[in-house]
Amino acid sequence: MPRGDGKGPPGWKGRFRGCGHRFTIPRQAIIETLEKTSEHLSAEDIYLKVHKQYPNIGLTTVYRTLEVLAQMRLVFKFDFGDGRARYELSHSDSKKDHHHHLVCTSCNRIIDYTDFIDEEVELLNKTEKALSKKFNFKISNHLIQFYGLCEKCKKTAGPLGG
Amino acid sequence: MPRGDGKGPPGWKGRFRGCGHRFTIPRQAIIETLEKTSEHLSAEDIYLKVHKQYPNIGLTTVYRTLEVLAQMRLVFKFDFGDGRARYELSHSDSKKDHHHHLVCTSCNRIIDYTDFIDEEVELLNKTEKALSKKFNFKISNHLIQFYGLCEKCKKTAGPLGG
DNA sequence: CTTGATAATGACAACCATTATCATTAACCC
DNA sequence: GGGTTAATGATAATGGTTGTCATTATCAAG
């Protein structure tokens, strides 16, 4: 029987150790926060949530942990254009969680969608293979976002829609 | 015979006036710089290029002009993860210039590709229509980027490839 | 379990791209 | 040309992110 990390799904500690990193309480807390949410949290969002349970954990540590997680490709860093980065767990093991984003350029609302993902991913995989070959480029991730106006902002926006 | 803007392709002045903006020398110079380059220029890059011919034009004006152009959807603002935004003319009128990006997460090199664009765009249009309907969302743009390691960085990078 | 090497932490300061301010200038309509 | 007013440019301010460094905690070895 394989041992877990004490808390949360097993494997986190192993993943950290496998990359030469230590698995600490702050890192555990940050991952748990990411696992619990369905929102697109900024570093400060995460800091505030973590801070409730562990008031000693600092914002700097949140940034550093997110950087490590991004390097390990366990979280993906998004830019939705509001001046701060947002972070999501990658869920690379379960395809069902894969989604893309609609970004409202007026109110910055983000809508996740999973519809049409299968068809998109199929084409993406094909494209990735071809691009990898042509440019000798090792593709490890992709980003797809649609920009526009959400339901609410469509009504109030002028002709420019901005 | 339609009158142009004095310099550059006709239509720029009209587009500005049509949105209630004035067409000034700094704006003209910034657009010309964007038209001349095939690179992905940051605000400072543009400022430095414009500065050679018009030393009086300030960085603030570059930012403001880019914001106006982005609002008018004549330029697209990219984030390639290096901490500064990059800007490209939209070329929305000629499909042939449409391209997507490969982003090297190690050296931040950007590769444009136009291959497979047709197939991608076809699926994207289909997806856009369906998403617009489902979420009552007015889509006006999309962003597609692939992340990974370029030819050079593949060789030198470790197992993590970061 | 204790210990030691060292990675990770946290408080703070520094950084730097971007934005706000405001007096001055210049575009554009008449 | 002249007046209105948006646009400009110098400067300061903002704020997300990163660097510094003394202290702490992880984890492998004994």
Side-chain angles (χ1 to χ4, degrees):
Chain A
M1 167 182 172
R3 283 176 57 218
D5 302 325
K7 287 176 84 175
W12 285 110
K13 181 167 182 176
R15 275 179 263 203
F16 273 81
R17 298 304 300 145
C19 295
H21 296 297
R22 294 177 182 175
F23 191 63
T24 65
I25 288 168
R27 288 174 177 184
Q28 190 173 289
I30 289 162
I31 288 169
E32 279 172 18
T33 299
L34 286 169
E35 281 176 329
K36 268 188 291 197
T37 192
S38 63
E39 300 169 271
H40 309 90
L41 301 179
S42 67
E44 193 180 2
D45 292 336
I46 295 166
Y47 166 72
L48 290 172
K49 282 176 183 290
V50 165
H51 191 262
K52 286 178 187 169
Q53 193 177 354
Y54 302 93
N56 296 329
I57 295 176
L59 181 56
T60 310
T61 296
V62 174
Y63 273 107
R64 272 184 302 225
T65 298
L66 290 169
E67 193 189 340
V68 169
L69 285 165
Q71 268 177 39
M72 296 194 290
R73 309 207 187 289
L74 299 175
V75 306
F76 197 89
K77 185 179 179 178
F78 289 93
D79 168 51
F80 295 136
D82 64 343
R84 69 196 63 194
R86 310 262 168 187
Y87 301 84
E88 272 185 43
L89 281 178
S90 287
H91 295 295
S92 57
D93 42 348
S94 62
K95 296 287 181 189
K96 57 187 171 184
D97 283 328
H98 193 74
H99 61 269
H100 294 155
H101 297 294
L102 295 175
V103 182
C104 178
T105 53
S106 178
C107 69
N108 268 307
R109 188 156 76 102
I110 309 297
I111 298 175
D112 296 1
Y113 72 93
T114 53
D115 321 82
F116 327 111
I117 282 286
D118 290 345
E119 216 173 340
E120 279 182 38
V121 168
E122 190 185 345
L123 178 59
L124 286 173
N125 286 337
K126 191 175 144 194
T127 308
E128 280 185 20
K129 275 204 187 95
L131 288 172
S132 293
K133 192 171 179 182
K134 169 157 185 175
F135 295 104
N136 197 11
F137 199 99
K138 183 173 178 294
I139 293 173
S140 56
N141 226 330
H142 65 250
L143 173 68
I144 295 195
Q145 288 174 186
F146 289 97
Y147 296 94
L149 293 178
C150 72
E151 193 167 3
K152 290 176 192 167
C153 295
K154 256 169 68 175
K155 295 173 189 166
T156 51
L160 263 178
Chain B
M1 167 180 172
R3 285 175 57 216
D5 301 326
K7 286 175 83 175
W12 285 111
K13 181 166 179 175
R15 276 179 264 202
F16 273 81
R17 297 306 298 147
C19 295
H21 296 297
R22 295 175 181 176
F23 191 63
T24 65
I25 289 168
R27 289 174 177 184
Q28 190 173 290
I30 289 162
I31 289 170
E32 278 172 19
T33 298
L34 286 169
E35 281 176 330
K36 269 188 291 197
T37 192
S38 63
E39 300 169 272
H40 309 91
L41 302 178
S42 68
E44 194 180 2
D45 291 337
I46 296 166
Y47 166 72
L48 290 172
K49 282 176 183 290
V50 165
H51 193 262
K52 287 177 187 170
Q53 193 176 355
Y54 301 93
N56 296 328
I57 296 176
L59 180 56
T60 308
T61 297
V62 174
Y63 274 107
R64 272 185 302 226
T65 298
L66 290 170
E67 192 189 341
V68 170
L69 285 166
Q71 268 177 41
M72 295 193 291
R73 306 206 188 291
L74 299 175
V75 306
F76 198 89
K77 185 178 179 179
F78 289 93
D79 168 50
F80 294 134
D82 65 343
R84 71 197 61 194
R86 309 263 169 186
Y87 301 84
E88 273 186 43
L89 281 177
S90 288
H91 294 295
S92 57
D93 43 348
S94 62
K95 296 288 180 191
K96 57 187 171 184
D97 284 327
H98 194 73
H99 61 268
H100 294 156
H101 298 293
L102 295 175
V103 182
C104 178
T105 53
S106 178
C107 69
N108 268 305
R109 187 155 77 104
I110 309 298
I111 298 174
D112 297 0
Y113 72 92
T114 53
D115 320 79
F116 327 112
I117 281 286
D118 290 345
E119 217 174 338
E120 278 182 38
V121 168
E122 191 184 345
L123 178 60
L124 286 174
N125 285 337
K126 191 176 145 194
T127 307
E128 280 186 20
K129 276 205 185 93
L131 288 172
S132 293
K133 192 171 178 180
K134 170 158 185 174
F135 295 104
N136 197 13
F137 198 100
K138 183 174 178 290
I139 293 173
S140 57
N141 227 327
H142 65 250
L143 172 68
I144 294 193
Q145 288 175 186
F146 290 97
Y147 297 93
L149 294 177
C150 72
E151 193 169 3
K152 289 176 192 168
C153 296
K154 255 167 67 174
K155 295 173 189 166
T156 50
L160 264 179

